[in-house]
Amino acid sequence: MSAITLIPKMKFKFRLDLSGISSFQSMSVNRIKTLPLMYGNKEMRYEELFKITGSDSSNIVIKSSNEMMDNVGKNFSCGNLTIHGNVGHCCGAEMTGGKITIFGNALDRVASGISGGILRLNGNSGDYMCGKSNHKNEGINDGLVIITGNAGDYAIQRMRRGVVIVKGNVGKNSCTEIISGTVIIMGHLGKNFANKIKRGTFIVKDSKFTKNYTKSNVCEYNFMPFLIKHINQLSREKILSLKSFERFTNHKIATNLSELFVIR
């Protein structure tokens, strides 16, 4: 069976709430075509705004996506969603399972409040990536998020569990109030990084984050090969290798029990 594929029929003048795409699983293509959605102040059907083909609703593809399309993959729970193009706000927000792959950039709150699944953004994200959703006070609660570009301000706030990988830079006030989880950032860290955190494992290249930690003794960390293997298996690519790491602990704030690994 071929994937259910959506292609816009027009250049949108109004923002679209496409959270309904997450309910496509187990629907026939004819049913999907007749589903309602609002366009401006008018109720329309999906088939009036998109050319829709295919029959496999567990595998959804959106082509020629653009930043007017909000909530794509919100509450996504199973299957695969592939997006070719940019997306609007809240892409993958509160997803619980499945896999979302985006070939483009995303606006604010991508993967906010997720609790499972895998989201890969092959581009840059706006602000509040993996942060708090609009009606909750916690950010990513589990799952894997990979950003191949840069993340904006206020990223990864109030993380509880999961793994977040940013291959580029993160903006100011990122990783604040983290409770637990694993964060890997290969680029530069913005101002006020990781303020008021409790626990968590950080693997970074930007060494300026070390100033409030104490460097651990020089030794081999036997668990690092297992952690690296786990990260690479989750992401299905070589994110980390057995390079030289320096470990830092004992933050000057006693309530901060996080650990930091700097890639040398």
Side-chain angles (χ1 to χ4, degrees):
M1 293 190 296
S2 58
I4 293 286
T5 302
L6 287 77
I7 304 175
K9 289 183 174 180
M10 66 185 76
K11 183 176 181 180
F12 298 130
K13 297 180 179 180
F14 305 104
R15 306 200 70 84
L16 285 175
D17 177 3
L18 294 178
S19 55
I21 288 176
S22 297
S23 64
F24 281 6
Q25 282 82 6
S26 301
M27 287 188 185
S28 68
V29 65
N30 290 331
R31 171 62 177 144
I32 291 170
K33 288 179 178 180
T34 61
L35 291 175
L37 77 165
M38 295 301 298
Y39 182 63
N41 61 359
K42 183 179 180 182
E43 184 178 284
M44 302 183 72
R45 298 188 303 272
Y46 270 85
E47 65 179 351
E48 295 179 272
L49 298 175
F50 296 92
K51 178 183 177 182
I52 304 174
T53 59
S55 56
D56 182 5
S57 59
S58 67
N59 189 10
I60 303 166
V61 176
I62 302 175
K63 295 183 178 180
S64 301
S65 178
N66 60 74
E67 294 181 352
M68 299 296 284
M69 298 163 64
D70 295 331
N71 298 319
V72 180
K74 184 175 182 179
N75 295 313
F76 200 69
S77 61
C78 61
N80 291 284
L81 171 59
T82 305
I83 304 163
H84 296 274
N86 298 331
V87 288
H89 300 287
C90 300
C91 181
E94 299 182 68
M95 68 181 291
T96 59
K99 183 177 182 180
I100 298 176
T101 306
I102 307 156
F103 294 97
N105 302 318
L107 295 183
D108 297 347
R109 299 190 183 279
V110 62
S112 61
I114 77 169
S115 58
I118 299 172
L119 185 145
R120 181 185 180 96
L121 172 62
N122 296 290
N124 302 318
S125 76
D127 298 337
Y128 302 100
M129 182 271 296
C130 284
K132 299 180 290 186
S133 57
N134 290 328
H135 61 98
K136 293 184 179 179
N137 198 34
E138 60 186 41
I140 174 173
N141 199 26
D142 209 344
L144 169 66
V145 176
I146 304 171
I147 308 295
T148 65
N150 302 320
D153 299 336
Y154 307 99
I156 325 175
Q157 288 187 327
R158 295 191 66 81
M159 179 182 189
R160 297 183 67 87
R161 282 183 295 274
V163 177
V164 179
I165 301 167
V166 181
K167 292 187 175 182
N169 309 321
V170 293
K172 64 184 179 182
N173 297 309
S174 294
C175 293
T176 59
E177 298 183 302
I178 282 181
I179 297 171
S180 186
T182 300
V183 177
I184 301 169
I185 300 173
M186 310 302 287
H188 296 296
L189 308 177
K191 294 181 179 179
N192 200 32
F193 180 80
N195 188 33
K196 297 180 181 180
I197 62 177
K198 293 184 178 180
R199 293 181 300 277
T201 298
F202 296 85
I203 301 174
V204 301
K205 281 189 175 180
D206 192 338
S207 60
K208 68 174 178 282
F209 185 41
T210 65
K211 64 181 181 179
N212 292 321
Y213 289 84
T214 301
K215 185 177 179 181
S216 299
N217 294 330
V218 177
C219 63
E220 294 292 330
Y221 301 105
N222 294 329
F223 66 90
M224 285 303 291
F226 297 99
L227 176 62
I228 291 170
K229 182 178 180 181
H230 177 64
I231 295 298
N232 291 342
Q233 285 179 338
L234 279 177
S235 60
R236 296 186 179 182
E237 64 175 302
K238 190 176 181 180
I239 297 292
L240 295 173
S241 60
L242 283 172
K243 296 180 180 179
S244 175
F245 292 89
E246 288 185 328
R247 183 174 184 255
F248 296 80
T249 56
N250 298 323
H251 194 276
K252 70 176 185 179
I253 298 175
T255 56
N256 184 343
L257 303 178
S258 64
E259 61 178 353
L260 169 66
F261 293 88
V262 177
I263 304 171
R264 296 303 186 188

